[in-house]
Amino acid sequence: MAAAAGSSFRNGAHRSSLRVDNNGRPLSMNQNPKSSLKTKALQGSGTRKSSPAALGGGSAGSLKDDGGVPGRVRVAVRLRPRNAEELVADADFGDCVELQPEVKRLKLRKNNWDSDTYEFDEVFTDSASQKRVYEIVAKPVVESVLEGYNGTIMAYGQTGTGKTYTLGKLGEEDAATRGIMVRAMEDILADVSLESDSVHVSYLQLYMETIQDLLDPHSDNISIVEDPKTGDVSLPGASSVEIRDHQTFLELLRLGEAHRFAANTKLNTESSRSHAVLMVHVRRSVKDSALSSVSSSSNPHTSKVLRPPVVRKGKLVIVDLAGSERIDKSGSEGHALEEAKSINLSLSALGKCINSLAENHSHVPFRDSKLTRLLRDSFGGTARTSLLITIGPSTRHRGETASTIMFGQRAMKVENMLKLKEEFDYKSLSRRLEIQLDKLIAENERQQKYFEENIERIHSEAQTEILEVEAKYACTLEAERLKYQKEYTESIKKLEEQLVMNQQKLGNGKITTTANDASSPLNPSSSSTLASALQEVANLKKLLERETSLRKAAEEEISVLRSQLSQSTISEASRNNEILNLRNMLEDESRQKEKLEGEIAVLQSHLLQLSSDADETRRQLDNGGSINGHCGLDSLISQMKNQQLIDPGNGEKASMAKLFEQVGLHKILSLLEAEDADIRIHAVKVVANLAAEEANQQKIVEAGGLTSLLMLLRSSDDETVHRVAAGAIANLAMNETNQELIMVQGGIRLLSLTAANAKDPQTLRMVAGAIANLCGNDKLQTKLRGEGGIKAFLGMVRCGHPDVLAQVARGIANFAKCESRASSQGVKKGRSLLIEDGALPWIVQNANNEASPIRRHIELALCHLAQHEVNARDMILGGALWELVRISRDCSREDIRTLAYRSLTSSPAFQSELRRLRIEF
Ligand code: ADP
Ligand code: MG
């Protein structure tokens, strides 16, 4: 047995030779003063080593994906101090072992004179501190786990020898007694970064070939899963708790212990009969990894973004094995027998596997038990493994101690091939790429919008520039043309004058010559005159030639200008069009003027009639005589003063009609200009009441009542007069002919002025009502807008009174309707004048006004505006699209709903905007 145990000792790649003493006792000669555990321990307290070779006995292999670093299972032995019982019972006996820690040897006494010597990687005496045990046995494993390797630490030994003390002691009363689990987690938490790394813990118990979750006692049959490719062992059914601070871990250990205790009580067993397994998964992200440099060098164009982050996954397994004493015991019965078999099964399977591995057998029976399946990676696998065997000092347990030592010796022969567990984290790469993609999409949209706006701006700037240049060009062209024409006419005129002069001179010369012929045929003065005339003719010829050439040059220039002009035919055409339009408008205007003149003539004749009537009346009054209507007029005035005519009832209406007949309309109207303010006010009220009757309207207008009412708006300072006059005008403005008359008499300006000075909302209501009526006239659209009708509306809404708003809304709806009609007939081009004059914001703002008359009118106005694509852009920008969508869905009137729906579906601009906003329509 001893020979087998000591027959060979390998420390990493070094194979030590074995010396046998005189008695044939095996003695390992390889003292290996640089024993890696020891060395590692020394290094461990200082700087961290990145190469795992130190533990592997110095044979550092190169780091490759598929390769690994050879490393032997490291084995240390720890002797428990004598306990109280042993101190008494074995007081007279020496220990069954003698430790030589300085040479890492252990002598197992066979009898008083004979002992076997075994060498371990480390030998801990009964006074060894927990800290030293941790640093030598566990710390190198923990460090390599942090570097991305798997690691196992396990304790094997007879019950009561200190396995749990060494591994699981919490050390709450005495910090110096903290065991390996606690210290390992302290080191792990100190080394990882909580932002980028993670630590998860599972805690299990293996008992009678079933695995129970110590963190969740309800899971009591957890299965082991082996990755066929990597050979990695995992327990997906076990709960895995993330550890972010040490306190949580301590609580977890306590909880696990409590569950272990409860489970064992229920099963009527002791914890020494089960194996406890703590698994710590450490996942770390790596910046400068061999993998990432390989991936980037294989494709230098791979951007940083596309390179998946590399993660290292280390797994630390700490196993507190069941008491080893059971292996050799037999004779148990019933449950105990079953239990013994099971425990035997796992532990003896472990022993068998270790034997096979130690002897390099081709088959290793890992699958024989749960324990060996679970620890497959720890023996002969890719993990770094430290085994601590614990022994007691008592000679009474010599047999158990010996078998424990043999187990350790065999384990020392097992070689592992350490592999770095490093892999690409494709999930987090994909997450990162997704975020990047979303960012890029948003940025792209932003840029696109900015680009579109810029294009729009540049386009409109270019348009205005073109217009300006064209206008300038036309001006210059015209000036040039006029200049040349003038020059040309002038020179022609000059030439003609000179020609006439010359002809006269020539005529005179002839006469002189004829007169002097007889006396002196060779009269020198006559010949000199001729010469000078010839000279003159030559000069003239030259002048003519010069003028001709000048003219030619001018003509050439004109033709050049013409050709330039023809290049801008499109703008020319549009200008011509505009001129045509202007001409049409001019014609309209002159027609209006003619009509107006006619009206004026009529009015003048009325005025004449009126003044003659007034004169007559005055005369009669002066004469003290009575007139037909006198008493009627008096009674009218008194009635008016008694205010009985405001809002007349049927009785009053009848009496008024009577008065009307008695007094005569002309006389009532004449009172509008009375000097007495009271009479004026009452007169205007009477006229207003009369104007409320459709039957009277024509008569009032024909008698000049409309003109007088408008005059009152201009001349009176009294707001009551304004209010009543505006009301009367509003009534008269129901009629189309009157509407035109109001316009030609500057009614809009007068009404706007009245509105601007008004304080009483009812005055504004009357004015707004009057303009609203005018808005319904197709022919007056342009003029009404030109005179400031729309602006007047927008001024009036400031008062916020619902009656005023309702009239404004009605006016705008009327206007929009007429405009829409004109656009459909092709009479009107371009954007709505309502939009031009800035009414859209108010329209949108009041589209959902709680007062239904306002809302209805505005909804209608919006539908009319929406029917013409030229308005679409402004409507979208002004938020009218939302209102249209709302109207098409919610409006209680079906016709308006349909109108809104139709205009939304037929406009390409609205359609594309709805698509952009992803609004189902
Ligand atoms: P096992 O691992 O076999 O179950 P335990 O860890 O439970 O053994 O130890 C048995 C007893 O011995 C416990 O009371 C424990 O405190 C004590 N003990 C074990 N090792 C030591 C040690 N090195 N120093 C002091 N007491 C120890
Ligand atoms: Mg124990």
Side-chain angles (χ1 to χ4, degrees):
M1 181 177 71
S7 63
S8 86
F9 174 76
R10 273 176 285 157
N11 183 2
H14 299 278
R15 194 171 276 270
S16 63
S17 58
L18 181 77
R19 276 206 327 227
V20 180
D21 70 3
N22 294 341
N23 302 312
R25 291 192 297 263
L27 173 65
S28 167
M29 296 301 291
N30 186 353
Q31 295 183 0
N32 190 17
K34 286 180 190 164
S35 163
S36 61
L37 261 176
K38 177 81 174 177
T39 311
K40 186 68 188 170
L42 292 172
Q43 288 160 346
S45 59
T47 49
R48 292 263 316 274
K49 289 274 278 184
S50 61
S51 163
L55 198 85
S59 69
S62 62
L63 192 66
K64 282 184 201 150
D65 282 357
D66 54 350
V69 182
R72 182 173 54 70
V73 173
R74 316 297 301 178
V75 184
V77 58
R78 184 182 200 185
L79 175 67
R80 174 176 55 70
R82 284 187 176 206
N83 57 29
E85 185 198 332
E86 286 162 343
L87 282 172
V88 177
D90 302 337
D92 301 327
F93 298 93
D95 290 348
C96 72
V97 288
E98 183 195 335
L99 304 184
Q100 299 176 317
E102 59 291 354
V103 289
K104 302 181 195 305
R105 284 186 194 162
L106 175 152
K107 280 187 173 175
L108 177 64
R109 268 187 240 282
K110 286 162 89 177
N111 46 53
N112 280 341
W113 60 92
D114 206 354
S115 61
D116 286 327
T117 303
Y118 301 96
E119 190 167 321
F120 286 94
D121 291 304
E122 192 63 36
V123 172
F124 295 109
T125 62
D126 56 357
S127 64
S129 69
Q130 288 278 73
K131 181 176 162 71
R132 205 159 72 81
V133 174
Y134 170 73
E135 277 177 350
I136 291 172
V137 174
K139 198 175 175 107
V141 180
V142 171
E143 281 175 353
S144 65
V145 166
L146 286 167
E147 283 161 8
Y149 296 85
N150 285 348
T152 311
I153 301 163
M154 65 177 79
Y156 178 93
Q158 193 187 350
T159 299
T161 49
K163 297 185 297 296
T164 307
Y165 180 86
T166 307
L167 294 180
K169 184 99 176 142
L170 297 184
E172 283 161 311
E173 306 88 356
D174 179 3
T177 61
R178 283 170 301 148
I180 283 174
M181 287 178 182
V182 175
R183 289 172 196 264
M185 186 53 78
E186 282 170 351
D187 277 358
I188 289 170
L189 288 176
D191 203 64
V192 297
S193 142
L194 289 177
E195 283 97 65
S196 53
D197 308 339
S198 71
V199 180
H200 284 85
V201 161
S202 305
Y203 199 12
L204 310 140
Q205 168 170 268
L206 173 56
Y207 175 66
M208 283 182 75
E209 292 306 291
T210 53
I211 300 174
Q212 299 152 2
D213 192 342
L214 287 178
L215 302 180
D216 176 12
H218 303 295
S219 315
D220 56 3
N221 195 6
I222 291 166
S223 48
I224 301 170
V225 175
E226 289 162 59
D227 188 328
K229 268 196 217 145
T230 60
D232 262 359
V233 174
S234 61
L235 302 163
S239 34
S240 168
V241 178
E242 182 169 20
I243 303 293
R244 298 185 71 80
D245 58 88
H246 196 63
Q247 205 50 42
T248 316
F249 179 65
L250 288 179
E251 274 159 26
L252 221 75
L253 284 186
R254 259 183 242 121
L255 181 79
E257 264 326 298
H259 286 152
R260 194 179 182 197
F261 179 79
N264 291 326
T265 312
K266 201 168 124 196
L267 292 166
N268 194 19
T269 179
E270 326 166 5
S271 64
S272 64
R273 295 182 194 172
S274 67
H275 313 277
V277 182
L278 180 81
M279 286 179 151
V280 184
H281 288 94
V282 182
R283 183 190 158 96
R284 316 190 73 179
S285 53
V286 189
K287 284 186 186 74
D288 307 305
S289 110
L291 255 192
S292 57
S293 67
V294 166
S295 88
S296 58
S297 67
S298 68
N299 183 1
H301 300 296
T302 313
S303 77
K304 211 176 165 194
V305 173
L306 286 175
R307 201 181 308 141
V310 176
V311 286
R312 279 187 189 157
K313 294 172 172 175
K315 180 174 75 174
L316 174 65
V317 182
I318 301 179
V319 190
D320 187 352
L321 290 166
S324 58
E325 69 281 358
R326 290 276 165 183
I327 291 171
D328 297 326
K329 289 206 170 148
S330 54
S332 308
E333 283 176 21
H335 175 76
L337 178 65
E338 282 306 303
E339 188 191 57
K341 270 193 208 158
S342 285
I343 294 167
N344 271 339
L345 180 72
S346 270
L347 269 188
S348 62
L350 181 63
K352 275 184 208 153
C353 288
I354 286 173
N355 282 344
S356 303
L357 286 163
E359 285 156 32
N360 276 331
H361 286 176
S362 55
H363 176 69
V364 182
F366 281 117
R367 302 202 61 81
D368 282 3
S369 76
K370 288 262 165 79
L371 183 69
T372 46
R373 282 176 66 198
L374 200 63
L375 295 179
R376 184 193 175 117
D377 191 43
S378 311
F379 290 97
T382 55
R384 174 167 313 223
T385 302
S386 275
L387 171 69
L388 179 76
I389 56 167
T390 53
I391 52 173
S394 171
T395 36
R396 282 182 293 155
H397 300 299
R398 194 190 166 280
E400 299 288 4
T401 306
S403 94
T404 302
I405 290 168
M406 294 323 294
F407 183 88
Q409 284 291 299
R410 282 192 298 274
M412 280 179 77
K413 294 180 192 160
V414 177
E415 293 245 19
N416 285 348
M417 211 53 185
L418 304 185
K419 275 190 183 167
L420 190 63
K421 308 280 178 184
E422 199 170 67
E423 60 185 43
F424 289 125
D425 186 355
Y426 285 102
K427 259 191 203 159
S428 81
L429 172 70
S430 125
R431 249 194 328 272
R432 213 163 68 195
L433 285 177
E434 230 164 68
I435 292 167
Q436 187 93 353
L437 185 68
D438 277 343
K439 258 195 209 156
L440 285 175
I441 286 172
E443 183 55 28
N444 182 25
E445 197 184 17
R446 233 171 270 137
Q447 281 184 357
Q448 175 125 1
K449 188 88 188 119
Y450 174 74
F451 179 70
E452 280 171 7
E453 280 168 4
N454 258 3
I455 292 269
E456 183 107 337
R457 188 178 49 76
I458 289 168
H459 182 72
S460 77
E461 276 173 13
Q463 285 288 351
T464 30
E465 224 162 279
I466 286 171
L467 285 177
E468 274 170 16
V469 167
E470 277 176 1
K472 227 185 213 137
Y473 174 69
C475 270
T476 323
L477 193 66
E478 186 59 22
E480 282 294 293
R481 198 180 64 77
L482 286 175
K483 193 178 120 200
Y484 281 114
Q485 200 169 21
K486 202 171 145 207
E487 273 180 20
Y488 179 70
T489 346
E490 272 170 8
S491 37
I492 293 288
K493 217 159 115 194
K494 245 189 228 160
L495 277 175
E496 278 171 358
E497 278 167 15
Q498 282 203 339
L499 195 67
V500 172
M501 251 165 61
N502 285 342
Q503 274 171 352
Q504 277 173 357
K505 269 186 195 165
L506 273 176
N508 288 345
K510 248 184 199 163
I511 295 160
T512 322
T513 313
T514 322
N516 292 340
D517 250 1
S519 57
S520 171
L522 291 167
N523 192 333
S525 85
S526 85
S527 71
S528 77
T529 316
L530 191 67
S532 81
L534 284 173
Q535 178 65 37
E536 192 86 4
V537 168
N539 283 348
L540 278 174
K541 252 186 194 163
K542 261 186 206 158
L543 213 65
L544 191 65
E545 271 166 15
R546 206 172 61 105
E547 287 301 327
T548 320
S549 71
L550 263 174
R551 191 190 150 176
K552 255 185 198 155
E555 275 174 354
E556 267 166 24
E557 199 151 337
I558 285 174
S559 84
V560 167
L561 288 172
R562 274 221 182 100
S563 74
Q564 282 178 5
L565 193 65
S566 68
Q567 277 171 9
S568 58
T569 39
I570 302 161
S571 60
E572 180 85 33
S574 82
R575 267 203 305 281
N576 285 344
N577 245 348
E578 214 162 305
I579 289 169
L580 216 69
N581 280 348
L582 283 172
R583 260 203 202 124
N584 286 344
M585 270 163 73
L586 198 67
E587 276 166 17
D588 273 357
E589 290 291 324
S590 49
R591 267 200 297 279
Q592 292 278 12
K593 198 178 146 203
E594 271 169 29
K595 205 165 161 192
L596 191 67
E597 278 164 0
E599 300 281 343
I600 288 170
V602 171
L603 288 173
Q604 272 170 347
S605 78
H606 282 166
L607 193 66
L608 223 71
Q609 168 75 30
L610 207 66
S611 54
S612 74
D613 283 358
D615 285 346
E616 174 70 13
T617 314
R618 206 173 298 123
R619 226 180 5 258
Q620 286 177 357
L621 283 172
D622 288 346
N623 295 342
S626 75
I627 53 162
N628 266 353
H630 181 218
C631 65
L633 187 60
D634 275 353
S635 114
L636 171 71
I637 290 168
S638 74
Q639 282 203 32
M640 285 191 305
K641 284 196 174 177
N642 289 334
Q643 307 254 333
Q644 285 172 359
L645 289 169
I646 309 158
D647 295 324
N650 281 339
E652 281 97 353
K653 246 187 202 165
S655 76
M656 198 160 73
K658 215 169 101 203
L659 280 171
F660 191 7
E661 270 170 31
Q662 283 175 353
V663 179
L665 183 60
H666 287 301
K667 291 192 182 69
I668 298 172
L669 290 179
S670 72
L671 291 176
L672 290 176
E673 284 156 52
E675 269 173 26
D676 184 339
D678 263 7
I679 294 179
R680 244 187 356 249
I681 288 177
H682 296 303
V684 76
K685 283 180 181 169
V686 173
V687 175
N689 281 318
L690 292 171
E693 297 286 329
E694 211 183 334
N696 301 331
Q697 285 176 356
Q698 202 187 341
K699 283 184 210 151
I700 292 172
V701 174
E702 279 171 3
L706 178 59
T707 314
S708 304
L709 289 166
L710 288 168
M711 280 277 280
L712 275 180
L713 290 187
R714 197 198 318 261
S715 60
S716 172
D717 294 324
D718 190 318
E719 187 159 0
T720 312
V721 172
H722 285 172
R723 190 187 70 232
V724 182
I729 293 169
N731 279 335
L732 295 177
M734 313 258 280
N735 171 301
E736 205 181 328
T737 325
N738 296 345
Q739 287 166 357
E740 287 172 21
L741 276 176
I742 292 170
M743 289 300 291
V744 295
Q745 294 185 39
I748 290 290
R749 280 196 199 291
L750 287 171
L751 288 165
S752 306
L753 202 71
T754 310
N757 297 324
K759 287 184 186 69
D760 181 355
Q762 289 311 317
T763 314
L764 289 174
R765 178 183 159 215
M766 299 301 170
V767 173
I771 302 181
N773 286 344
L774 299 176
C775 282
N777 189 319
D778 288 2
K779 286 181 252 164
L780 301 180
Q781 294 267 292
T782 324
K783 191 131 193 272
L784 189 130
R785 184 259 181 151
E787 304 234 5
I790 300 169
K791 290 256 155 76
F793 271 155
L794 296 179
M796 282 184 261
V797 296
R798 74 182 186 279
C799 85
H801 195 287
D803 290 350
V804 180
L805 298 192
Q807 291 304 326
V808 171
R810 184 170 68 84
I812 282 178
N814 276 346
F815 195 93
K817 186 172 73 188
C818 292
E819 223 183 19
S820 168
R821 207 152 40 205
S823 294
S824 306
Q825 291 161 0
V827 179
K828 172 164 182 359
K829 294 205 171 61
R831 301 196 295 177
S832 160
L833 298 177
L834 289 169
I835 293 175
E836 296 276 20
D837 272 7
L840 191 60
W842 185 80
I843 295 176
V844 172
Q845 205 180 319
N846 286 278
N848 203 8
N849 194 303
E850 55 196 30
S852 67
I854 303 175
R855 191 170 63 243
R856 284 289 162 271
H857 288 309
I858 297 287
E859 283 174 347
L860 267 173
L862 276 174
C863 290
H864 289 309
L865 289 175
Q867 282 177 345
H868 303 284
E869 192 69 7
V870 278
N871 299 329
R873 204 182 141 65
D874 290 283
M875 293 187 78
I876 290 167
L877 290 175
L881 178 63
W882 295 110
E883 293 306 331
L884 282 167
V885 171
R886 179 191 60 75
I887 295 165
S888 74
R889 286 176 179 165
D890 299 340
C891 182
S892 58
R893 267 182 50 183
E894 203 198 345
D895 54 338
I896 301 181
R897 236 179 19 240
T898 316
L899 200 60
Y901 183 81
R902 254 213 321 265
S903 41
L904 281 175
T905 45
S906 59
S907 154
F910 287 152
Q911 282 299 300
S912 87
E913 178 70 0
L914 289 171
R915 267 197 304 279
R916 195 179 74 77
L917 297 170
R918 300 211 168 80
I919 294 175
E920 279 290 318
F921 211 79

